[in-house]
Amino acid sequence: MKKAFLLGCAVALQAAVLPYVDVYGVSFNIVLALLVLYGFAEGSWRRFLGHVCAAGLVLDALSGAPFGVFLAGLLAAIGFSAAGTLFLPHENAFHFAALVAFSSAWFFLAVFGYGQFVVSLGASVTFAGALASVAYNTAGALALYPFRKWITS
Amino acid sequence: MLLIFSGAVLGAAPLERAVLWVVSPVTGAMVKATDGLAGFFGAFSSLRDVYSENERLKEEQKELRALRGAHEDLKRENALLRTQLQVGDQKDLSLRDAQVVSFDPLSMFQYVLIDRGARDGVAEGMPVVRPGNVLVGKVSHAYPAYSHVALISDKTNKVSVKSAEGDTNGVLSGASGNLLLMELVEKNAPLASGDLVVTSGLDGVYPKNLIVGWVKEVVSREEGIFKEAYVAPVEAGFAHTQAFVITNYLR
């Protein structure tokens, strides 16, 4: 229940507050960071698949972008993260940071792939913007890491 | 994954509508709260610039006093010419105020969600402005109580524009970063850095003379008959929470 509540707060922050603090035209993806943290702490994503879908759907509804873009991005990123968790020890901030960085990159690949093959996107994010986003997400996720016990309890 | 593709193919309007009905009051309240905080901290941090700004404003005031006399003459002359030519002002625009309730979550797509929809007379394609006659974009989708607005910085949103000084026409759309790209500008047409860019009204979507931004850089290549220009919008992204939908211009 607490996890769902925190995720709801993260989605609201994502849509209402974080776009104010963009860097190179991208915002910190706190939803992605939180979901990766949940799976990383738990060691499995099965329990969070519903959370991922709900968060993706809400972000899609709020964004105005073609429907399904954020859901596709989150599913791809969390899928990658789930695979990574199988091989990485869970009590290590460096591994967590690496997982977030690669998941963020995977998120972008999925969004642009979806835009290329399913719908036409008008996204204005460049390669530099995507890199900035990966760095931004990693730094933000590391800031969350010290609070992981409280967040995931 | 099936859900995504069915949404893309069949249209996800009912699902989106339900989600918006639940979530947008929360995000709307957060946007309002954030706007207040941003204004407070913005005012606090700008105090240090007040002195230099004051000096600059004093200088500007002197220049403006000189210009005022000339302006009054031109105003009288303009009114006289209008009477002679029987040309009226641009037709009155009917505005519907709206509040932004959410931004694009990752700033990847140039959309905002406003709290006015079809029930308020808002329809797809209606232009949206913010105070100061500044063009924001157009309604891309109208739900009963909410609407998505595609900002002018969206790459798929094309706007017919002209330079306010030289009447040089072009077509504007989003570019990378925080700039806009003005294309299809005649190579020999006058256009320079610093020129004000406004809507031309030629596309029939946006009323003319809405402010868009300033020319930042003109790019002209040897080949081709057109040149292009990068335009800095009046405001990068969309940081305001107040907007107006022009409800009587849609053709």
Side-chain angles (χ1 to χ4, degrees), chain A residues 23 35 93 97 141:
Chain A
V23 172
L35 285 168

PDB file of all heavy atoms in Angstrom, chain A residues 23 35 93 97 141:
ATOM      1  N   VAL A  23      16.675  19.780 -17.481  1.00  0.00           N
ATOM      2  CA  VAL A  23      18.078  20.004 -17.839  1.00  0.00           C
ATOM      3  C   VAL A  23      18.237  19.537 -19.278  1.00  0.00           C
ATOM      4  O   VAL A  23      17.884  18.402 -19.602  1.00  0.00           O
ATOM      5  CB  VAL A  23      19.015  19.179 -16.915  1.00  0.00           C
ATOM      6  CG1 VAL A  23      20.446  19.263 -17.404  1.00  0.00           C
ATOM      7  CG2 VAL A  23      18.912  19.677 -15.482  1.00  0.00           C
ATOM      8  N   LEU A  35      10.655   2.775  -9.480  1.00  0.00           N
ATOM      9  CA  LEU A  35      10.311   1.394  -9.862  1.00  0.00           C
ATOM     10  C   LEU A  35      11.553   0.502  -9.889  1.00  0.00           C
ATOM     11  O   LEU A  35      11.506  -0.653  -9.463  1.00  0.00           O
ATOM     12  CB  LEU A  35       9.605   1.386 -11.222  1.00  0.00           C
ATOM     13  CG  LEU A  35       8.150   1.868 -11.195  1.00  0.00           C
ATOM     14  CD1 LEU A  35       7.624   2.101 -12.605  1.00  0.00           C
ATOM     15  CD2 LEU A  35       7.256   0.869 -10.468  1.00  0.00           C
ATOM     16  N   ALA A  93      25.270   0.338  -4.043  1.00  0.00           N
ATOM     17  CA  ALA A  93      24.789   1.578  -4.677  1.00  0.00           C
ATOM     18  C   ALA A  93      25.293   1.698  -6.112  1.00  0.00           C
ATOM     19  O   ALA A  93      24.585   2.205  -6.997  1.00  0.00           O
ATOM     20  CB  ALA A  93      25.242   2.783  -3.863  1.00  0.00           C
ATOM     21  N   ALA A  97      23.092   2.229  -9.383  1.00  0.00           N
ATOM     22  CA  ALA A  97      23.275   3.369 -10.297  1.00  0.00           C
ATOM     23  C   ALA A  97      23.409   2.879 -11.740  1.00  0.00           C
ATOM     24  O   ALA A  97      22.820   3.461 -12.665  1.00  0.00           O
ATOM     25  CB  ALA A  97      24.506   4.170  -9.893  1.00  0.00           C
ATOM     26  N   ALA A 141      18.422   8.978  -8.807  1.00  0.00           N
ATOM     27  CA  ALA A 141      18.191   7.672  -8.185  1.00  0.00           C
ATOM     28  C   ALA A 141      19.187   7.440  -7.048  1.00  0.00           C
ATOM     29  O   ALA A 141      18.830   6.881  -5.999  1.00  0.00           O
ATOM     30  CB  ALA A 141      18.316   6.570  -9.236  1.00  0.00           C
TER      31      ALA A 141
END
